[in-house]
Amino acid sequence: MNFISTRNPDLSVDFQTALLQGLASDGGLFCPEKFPDLTQLFKSFTKSTPFNSISEETLSSLLGDTLSKDTVNTLISRAFFFAPRITQLENNLSILELFHGPSHAFKDFGACFLASAMENFLGNTNKKALILTATSGDTGSAVAQAFYKKNNINVVILYPSGRVSPLQEKQLTTLGENITALEIKGSFDDCQRMVKEAFLDDELTAKLPLSSANSINLGRLIPQSFYYIWGRKQSDNANFVFSVPSGNFGNLTAGIYAKTWGLPVTKFIAATNANDIVPEYLTSGIYAPRSSRLTLSNAMDVGAPSNYERLNHLFNNDVNKFRMNIIGETVSDKETLSAMKEVFTRFNYELCPHTAVGYLSARRHLCKEPDSHVMVLSTAHPAKFLEVVEQAIGKTPIIPENLLVLLSKQKKSTIMDPSSTKLKEYLLYHFI
Ligand SMILES: *Cc1c(COP(=O)(O)O)cnc(C)c1O
């Protein structure tokens, strides 16, 4: 199967090119050229089929014409040394825990697969890559952990000084080896601008093998569909709904892809915080991106969701097709905190603020359709958002061992002014 640009169906490339290139040359996003029917494959899986087997067989069915069975198995086994888990809160309400990977967020699935695929493809061609990425927290930590010690790949992460949580900063700055953290004396927007300008700089792109690992990369999107397939197998209810805490809508788009391949899902809930551009679009039919608002579920503070372009391409600009597949729900900060408290009191279970947005949206749906099963995607471990969890439930969440270890490690970062010239000098000096 090939992949085409959302802006031009004639711009068609293979998986390897889409993944190494990131963005299509016309500025569009890569998306699958066709939608194979995998209904029979999905039927052959059972509740106890391991996540890795589901991933291998699905990837083979999608890309068997480009990747050998051996390559597929290598990519999957290197990427997924962790798996999703299920916690059943009630008979028809469950939590799909996606935070058991190295950075404790669902982004690990995409980032680890991308890292293992890039390493494999580069190894075959004797090329190198220098990955440049800007982060406000979660993306950077997933990318850093995923690419750590990968052959032929260097990673430079730009983050805004003093504006990522202490734990996230440790995740970015304590690895060393092929991971470099640049602490920018500015905002996340400054970091993003510096990265964008580096990609537009002719001298830099000529001299360095620049590449990106951001969430629009197809190599992060495709593997995210695998946990939907695994999760769906955990319930027999025919009226089945996924509730997806959403920001850039990569996660939700991956679920929609799985549905187009034949996964039996009634609806997806686009669960957002005050950045409710998509829920608003579903109601009004008017898509109005705007600047983002700060909320407690800050990994979803996105005012112009980049994957809207992919969904719009899939649904042919037709809001009714969106409505047939997606329900919008918006949750305020106040409601987020009370949902976290409710779940802790009733089930003795801790939610991160993003997952709480998904949980409350699921509850609302169950009021309307009590016979459905709603599975909430849990996008991060509560310990990653210590301060918010404490505020909600009045106690410190249990911190996983490997995060505790991090807190005592020494931070190593290079402080830099928010200047593209400074970044350029740095890159030319260190990576030629
Ligand atoms: C990135 C992120 C989200 C949003 O995911 P999208 O794919 O951008 O919609 C939700 N929760 C957490 C914890 C995240 O890190």
Side-chain angles (χ1 to χ4, degrees), residues 104-107 137-139 141-142 168 215 220-221 224 227-228 244-254 271 297-302 305-307 352-355 377-381 384-385:
H104 297 280
F106 85 95
K107 290 188 174 71
D138 254 15
T139 300
S141 48
Q168 283 175 334
S215 67
R220 281 180 54 176
L221 203 67
Q224 288 180 355
Y227 50 68
Y228 283 93
V244 190
S246 295
N248 251 325
F249 280 78
N251 206 1
L252 192 135
T253 303
S297 44
N298 60 18
M300 311 193 319
D301 292 348
V302 180
S306 47
N307 282 290
C352 92
H354 312 80
T355 309
L377 272 63
S378 178
T379 50
H381 191 286
K384 286 196 86 174
F385 299 88

Side-chain angles (χ1 to χ4, degrees), residues 148-176:
Y148 180 55
K149 289 190 174 171
K150 287 277 179 269
N151 295 318
N152 301 317
I153 306 179
N154 282 304
V155 178
V156 175
I157 295 172
L158 285 74
Y159 73 96
S161 183
R163 302 201 200 176
V164 303
S165 80
L167 203 72
Q168 283 175 334
E169 184 172 36
K170 293 279 184 174
Q171 287 186 312
L172 300 173
T173 58
T174 56
L175 289 167

Side-chain angles (χ1 to χ4, degrees), residues 215-387:
S215 67
I216 51 145
N217 194 306
L218 194 81
R220 281 180 54 176
L221 203 67
I222 296 288
Q224 288 180 355
S225 59
F226 305 155
Y227 50 68
Y228 283 93
I229 304 165
W230 183 84
R232 178 65 186 92
K233 282 287 157 182
Q234 308 305 310
S235 161
D236 298 324
N237 195 326
N239 185 357
F240 186 93
V241 173
F242 280 113
S243 179
V244 190
S246 295
N248 251 325
F249 280 78
N251 206 1
L252 192 135
T253 303
I256 298 275
Y257 281 173
K259 186 178 177 189
T260 64
W261 302 331
L263 193 69
V265 178
T266 311
K267 285 266 167 49
F268 293 84
I269 303 175
T272 73
N273 57 30
N275 296 282
D276 58 349
I277 292 85
V278 170
E280 208 180 87
Y281 168 66
L282 291 164
T283 309
S284 69
I286 296 163
Y287 181 69
R290 51 172 189 256
S291 48
S292 61
R293 295 183 194 154
L294 295 185
T295 74
L296 293 176
S297 44
N298 60 18
M300 311 193 319
D301 292 348
V302 180
S306 47
N307 282 290
Y308 172 78
E309 182 166 335
R310 277 199 176 102
L311 290 172
N312 206 28
H313 181 260
L314 179 71
F315 295 142
N316 283 324
N317 294 307
D318 180 352
V319 71
N320 287 320
K321 287 196 184 141
F322 272 86
R323 289 173 181 145
M324 279 189 280
N325 290 283
I326 306 172
I327 303 167
E329 288 290 349
T330 304
V331 174
S332 69
D333 273 354
K334 201 167 154 228
E335 290 168 328
T336 303
L337 289 172
S338 64
M340 291 165 79
K341 178 145 198 210
E342 175 194 312
V343 172
F344 184 63
T345 312
R346 278 177 68 181
F347 305 105
N348 194 25
Y349 185 78
E350 295 164 359
L351 298 178
C352 92
H354 312 80
T355 309
V357 169
Y359 167 83
L360 190 63
S361 303
R363 276 273 173 233
R364 289 181 191 157
H365 186 77
L366 285 169
C367 284
K368 283 179 257 171
E369 290 195 37
D371 293 335
S372 62
H373 184 111
V374 186
M375 185 171 281
V376 182
L377 272 63
S378 178
T379 50
H381 191 286
K384 286 196 86 174
F385 299 88
L386 276 181
E387 298 77 8

Side-chain angles (χ1 to χ4, degrees), residues 73-267:
N73 294 354
T74 308
L75 294 190
I76 297 294
S77 63
R78 288 206 186 141
F80 301 140
F81 51 89
F82 54 95
R85 295 180 203 166
I86 287 280
T87 291
Q88 201 79 29
L89 292 185
E90 283 170 6
N91 236 346
N92 57 355
L93 177 61
S94 51
I95 307 279
L96 179 60
E97 297 179 354
L98 302 173
F99 53 72
H100 298 288
S103 85
H104 297 280
F106 85 95
K107 290 188 174 71
D108 289 330
F109 286 91
C112 286
F113 179 84
L114 178 66
S116 107
M118 269 197 182
E119 183 181 50
N120 185 284
F121 297 162
L122 290 167
N124 293 341
T125 53
N126 247 325
K127 284 188 189 148
K128 287 189 188 312
L130 174 59
I131 290 173
L132 211 52
T133 190
T135 187
S136 55
D138 254 15
T139 300
S141 48
V143 167
Q145 307 283 328
F147 283 86
Y148 180 55
K149 289 190 174 171
K150 287 277 179 269
N151 295 318
N152 301 317
I153 306 179
N154 282 304
V155 178
V156 175
I157 295 172
L158 285 74
Y159 73 96
S161 183
R163 302 201 200 176
V164 303
S165 80
L167 203 72
Q168 283 175 334
E169 184 172 36
K170 293 279 184 174
Q171 287 186 312
L172 300 173
T173 58
T174 56
L175 289 167
E177 301 270 348
N178 62 330
I179 312 292
T180 304
L182 297 181
E183 182 174 352
I184 306 300
K185 289 194 272 179
S187 64
F188 170 61
D189 290 338
D190 289 317
C191 300
Q192 227 169 6
R193 174 181 48 79
M194 290 165 74
V195 168
K196 272 193 190 143
E197 287 178 9
F199 280 103
L200 294 173
D201 187 295
D202 292 337
E203 187 186 354
L204 278 179
T205 49
K207 290 185 174 163
L208 297 170
L210 293 187
S211 190
S212 84
N214 58 21
S215 67
I216 51 145
N217 194 306
L218 194 81
R220 281 180 54 176
L221 203 67
I222 296 288
Q224 288 180 355
S225 59
F226 305 155
Y227 50 68
Y228 283 93
I229 304 165
W230 183 84
R232 178 65 186 92
K233 282 287 157 182
Q234 308 305 310
S235 161
D236 298 324
N237 195 326
N239 185 357
F240 186 93
V241 173
F242 280 113
S243 179
V244 190
S246 295
N248 251 325
F249 280 78
N251 206 1
L252 192 135
T253 303
I256 298 275
Y257 281 173
K259 186 178 177 189
T260 64
W261 302 331
L263 193 69
V265 178
T266 311
K267 285 266 167 49

